[in-house]
Every structure is written in structure tokens, then in C-alpha cells.
Amino acid sequence: MTPSSPSSSYRTLASFSRIQLLYFLQQRGTMTVGDLAEATGLHHNTAREHLQRLIGDGFVTCHPENKDSKGRPRMLYSAAAGPNHVDGSIRAAKAEAADRHGDQVRRMLRVEAVIHSPLQRQLDALDDHLDESGFDARLEIDGADGNRVHLHECPYSEMVKAHPEVCRVHFGLLKTLLERTEGPLSADALHPLVELNTCTLDLHRSDADPGVETGAAPTAPEQLKPAIIYHGVSGL
């Protein structure tokens, strides 16, 4: 499979039925389409169609059940966990594309940034995911309240009012994204709608920072301030 179009994440996650499927997969682990149909109340065929959309965008993986008996094996569905997981290469390819795009943008803008550090790769992947999902985001590193991302203009705010589990699904996706890109940042907590149409994501920055690769310039202290995430152009 090839990564889907840049705006597809928003369209995929804008469906509450697909959010429901992701929610149960995140909470319960591997499930069959029958399990998911029963949990969500969807028809088997409808659930299967939504699952195919989630698989195509790299949010869900699928593999046949191992069985010794004859007959067609059941298909088992899971929330995508990483690049080494079955079909996880879709999300891995998106992370690699975000890394390349971030480098290109920084070079065009002549931004002095740590281009090839684990931290920068995480920021690029986070930026692309939030952009594809329809959020405007502002990054705050080492601010008065620590490390966090302010998520503005939540495109799912109306859905959240009736279904708060939407936020738990998005937090799970962000947590997995940062774990998959293997850097110093991890997702601690998501605070939904702390202000009008604004959420905050608390980040933990490990002391054992993998840091920059050999030959990269260290970060200047005065650069650690609020910045707009735009393909990693954050002054880091």
C-alpha cells in the first residue's frame, strides 16, 4: 500500500464510526470484524468498509488468524503500533515523508535548526499528523508550564461534545506517533477544550535526550521559546 493523500487523515478521523472502531481496538487490542460490529453496533459489512479505510491510512493493521483446521481463517484487526508491525510501514512512510519535507522547508527558509536529531524528527512527524488531521498547533518547549502543544481550532469539537472518547482516541494516536519515532518526547496527557476550541497536549522530554547526531550544532538557550510548528521550523 502507498500512503494516502495529505488531507485523508482528517477525512478518515472525521467519521465517528471509524473513531469508534479505533477506540475499541486501542482499548481491547486485537479483534475480529464480528467483535467490532457487536461492540459498535455497526453492520458487519459497514464495519469492514470502515476498517479498510483505517487500514489504508495506516491507523489499523490486519492479518489472518493462525489456525490448523481447514477453512478460511478469520481476519484479526489491531491498532497500528509501529513500523515493524504488519502494515505499519504506511505510518512509517508518512514519518519519513514528514522528515524529508521538514528538511526541505527549513533549507528553503534558511532556518538554522537541528535537522537530523531525534527531537526534530519527532516534531516533523507530529506536525504532519496534526496538519493532516485538521489542527492548528503551537509548540511550547521548556515554557512556564513545561513542554506542551496547544491545539487550536479542533475540527472534531462538535463530535467531542457528545462523544468524549474521541479525545482518548486522538491521544492514543499521538502517544503512539511519538513512541514510533523514538526521540526524547513522549505524550503525557491530553486536556480537551481547556479554552474555546483549544486543547493542550502535555509532553515529557526525557533527561536522557538522544540529542543531535554527530556534528550537529547544540540548541541555543534563547531558542527554547513558544513557536509555531511548521514542518519542524520551531527554533530547535
Side-chain angles (χ1 to χ4, degrees):
M1 294 183 183
T2 57
S4 46
S5 62
S7 61
S8 65
S9 290
Y10 169 73
R11 294 195 298 270
T12 298
L13 299 176
S15 163
F16 180 64
S17 293
R18 289 192 281 270
I19 287 286
Q20 276 188 304
L21 291 168
L22 260 179
Y23 174 76
F24 283 110
L25 290 173
Q26 288 177 347
Q27 297 299 311
R28 300 185 184 180
T30 300
M31 301 174 70
T32 66
V33 68
D35 296 333
L36 288 162
E38 181 179 357
T40 60
L42 296 171
H43 188 277
H44 278 55
N45 291 339
T46 303
R48 191 175 286 108
E49 289 175 2
H50 285 308
L51 287 165
Q52 288 305 310
R53 179 65 177 270
L54 290 164
I55 291 170
D57 211 32
F59 293 116
V60 167
T61 65
C62 178
H63 65 277
E65 180 182 35
N66 291 325
K67 56 180 297 185
D68 297 327
S69 59
K70 294 182 179 180
R72 179 179 297 180
R74 298 183 304 172
M75 300 305 293
L76 303 178
Y77 297 88
S78 306
N84 295 324
H85 198 283
V86 178
D87 287 339
S89 57
I90 295 174
R91 303 307 298 177
K94 287 194 171 190
E96 292 171 3
D99 193 23
R100 292 193 302 271
H101 196 183
D103 281 359
Q104 291 170 356
V105 172
R106 283 186 290 272
R107 289 190 178 104
M108 285 190 297
L109 296 180
R110 299 174 183 263
V111 173
E112 294 181 2
V114 180
I115 295 177
H116 295 295
S117 71
L119 172 61
Q120 194 66 66
R121 282 194 291 270
Q122 282 188 303
L123 293 177
D124 286 340
L126 180 62
D127 178 27
D128 262 27
H129 172 77
L130 293 173
D131 184 53
E132 288 184 4
S133 300
F135 290 97
D136 289 329
R138 181 171 61 87
L139 173 70
E140 186 176 356
I141 293 289
D142 292 346
D145 297 314
N147 307 309
R148 58 177 41 179
V149 178
H150 302 271
L151 306 173
H152 304 294
E153 303 301 325
C154 173
Y156 313 100
S157 57
E158 290 302 315
M159 193 190 301
V160 168
K161 292 176 183 177
H163 306 286
E165 62 269 31
V166 171
C167 295
R168 292 197 285 274
V169 169
H170 281 281
F171 177 66
L173 293 174
L174 293 168
K175 187 177 179 68
T176 298
L177 173 72
L178 293 174
E179 290 171 350
R180 182 172 52 240
T181 47
E182 298 182 344
L185 296 179
S186 58
D188 269 357
L190 179 67
H191 306 286
L193 301 176
V194 293
E195 297 177 11
L196 181 62
N197 219 14
T198 298
C199 308
T200 58
L201 172 68
D202 291 341
L203 301 173
H204 172 71
R205 186 172 180 176
S206 66
D207 293 331
D209 190 333
V212 300
E213 295 180 3
T214 304
T219 301
E222 64 271 14
Q223 291 178 315
L224 297 177
K225 58 185 180 181
I228 300 298
I229 302 178
Y230 183 72
H231 294 295
V233 181
S234 58
L236 291 175

